Amino acid sequence: MKVTYLGHASLSIEMGGKNIIFDPFISGNELAKNIDINSLKADYILLTHGHADHVADVEPIVKNTGAKIVSNFEIVNWFAPKGVVGHPMNHGGKWRFDFGTVKYVNAIHSSSMPDGSYGGNPGGFVVWDDSKCFYVAGDTALTEDMKTIQKTTPKLDFCVLPIGDNFTMDYKDALIASDYLECDTIIAYHYDTFGYIVVDKDIVKKAFKEAGKKIIFLEIGETIDI
Ligand code: NI
Ligand code: MN
């Protein structure tokens, strides 16, 4: 499985011969100016919630690739009149796609669309195939709901957690989240993009190391095999 960081909360994951983009926000992110959205491949775009810093580049990517969106019912309906085809889900539900199974799980946050209309409730995704399972938390606070994830999904190989504070949990809460998730390999996201969420990576790395966990900070555009 290949994971490419596209900056902020955007990731591209290759699994089962398909390309899945999470929460594309690239053209509006000064830090991601080296990523050309026209070069991105996508079969699916998974959207955790409706905020602009998670959905801003959906339409151009869909236009280029014909990708299908997967999100909550309200977000899929909001995009439908724009010619974006989607698969609607809601919390606690899962669906088997051609690349693997996706479960939409709880997040503690808010979710309005860029025009202010209702974006349903925010979520995260647990995704698995026969060999790997991972969790992309979306924007969320630390919540004990995370303790329920491993009761209903395969063992997590890695989790992608926000650490930027202010709009989401900080790294200390993410450390507790990784305990709740029983997962010691964490990819950090949702940090540094705005002044409100700048982090000191050395402090974060030290805290995770002391806890015996591995936190991965990917460069924007960097791909890892995981
Ligand atoms: Ni948000
Ligand atoms: Mn956000």
Side-chain angles (χ1 to χ4, degrees):
M1 187 176 292
K2 284 195 171 69
V3 178
T4 303
Y5 186 45
L6 302 174
H8 195 51
S10 305
L11 300 159
S12 172
I13 294 186
E14 195 190 315
M15 69 185 285
K18 303 286 177 186
N19 291 284
I20 303 143
I21 291 180
F22 289 79
D23 289 356
F25 169 68
I26 298 148
S27 58
N29 180 3
E30 180 62 22
L31 301 179
K33 61 178 185 293
N34 292 333
I35 307 278
D36 173 13
I37 62 165
N38 295 314
S39 71
L40 297 176
K41 291 186 209 156
D43 298 289
Y44 295 90
I45 302 172
L46 271 56
L47 304 170
T48 61
H49 65 293
H51 289 158
D53 63 315
H54 297 256
V55 306
D57 288 323
V58 168
E59 285 179 72
I61 295 171
V62 167
K63 215 172 154 198
N64 286 340
T65 61
K68 191 178 203 178
I69 63 166
V70 178
S71 191
N72 70 30
F73 180 77
E74 290 80 4
I75 291 173
V76 168
N77 281 349
W78 187 82
F79 274 108
K82 303 173 188 300
V84 174
V85 175
H87 177 109
M89 299 187 75
N90 219 324
H91 299 80
K94 63 181 181 307
W95 184 260
R96 189 167 179 170
F97 292 88
D98 54 3
F99 58 90
T101 300
V102 175
K103 184 169 183 178
Y104 192 58
V105 297
N106 298 350
I108 303 287
H109 192 65
S110 58
S111 178
S112 47
M113 305 310 300
D115 63 0
S117 59
Y118 179 56
N121 287 316
F125 294 102
V126 184
V127 182
W128 65 91
D129 61 14
D130 292 338
S131 62
K132 287 269 158 47
C133 179
F134 63 94
Y135 166 54
V136 177
D139 287 6
T140 185
L142 176 65
T143 164
E144 292 204 342
D145 289 349
M146 291 166 177
K147 289 183 179 173
T148 67
I149 287 178
Q150 281 290 257
K151 297 192 191 303
T152 61
T153 66
K155 171 106 189 92
L156 290 169
D157 292 285
F158 65 96
C159 55
V160 183
L161 301 178
I163 61 154
D165 208 352
N166 191 72
F167 296 118
T168 68
M169 57 186 177
D170 70 351
Y171 74 92
K172 291 179 183 170
D173 288 7
L175 197 46
I176 298 168
S178 70
D179 286 338
Y180 288 178
L181 296 160
E182 301 164 39
C183 179
D184 293 339
T185 302
I186 298 100
I187 295 177
Y189 83 166
H190 212 279
Y191 63 90
D192 282 4
T193 321
F194 321 115
Y196 291 122
I197 61 171
V198 172
V199 302
D200 183 328
K201 290 184 205 168
D202 291 333
I203 291 173
V204 178
K205 282 179 194 163
K206 188 165 174 273
F208 277 75
K209 198 176 174 193
E210 280 171 6
K213 294 171 189 280
K214 182 178 176 191
I215 189 157
I216 301 167
F217 284 94
L218 295 172
E219 296 293 332
I220 296 174
E222 184 182 354
T223 301
I224 51 164
D225 238 311
I226 190 162

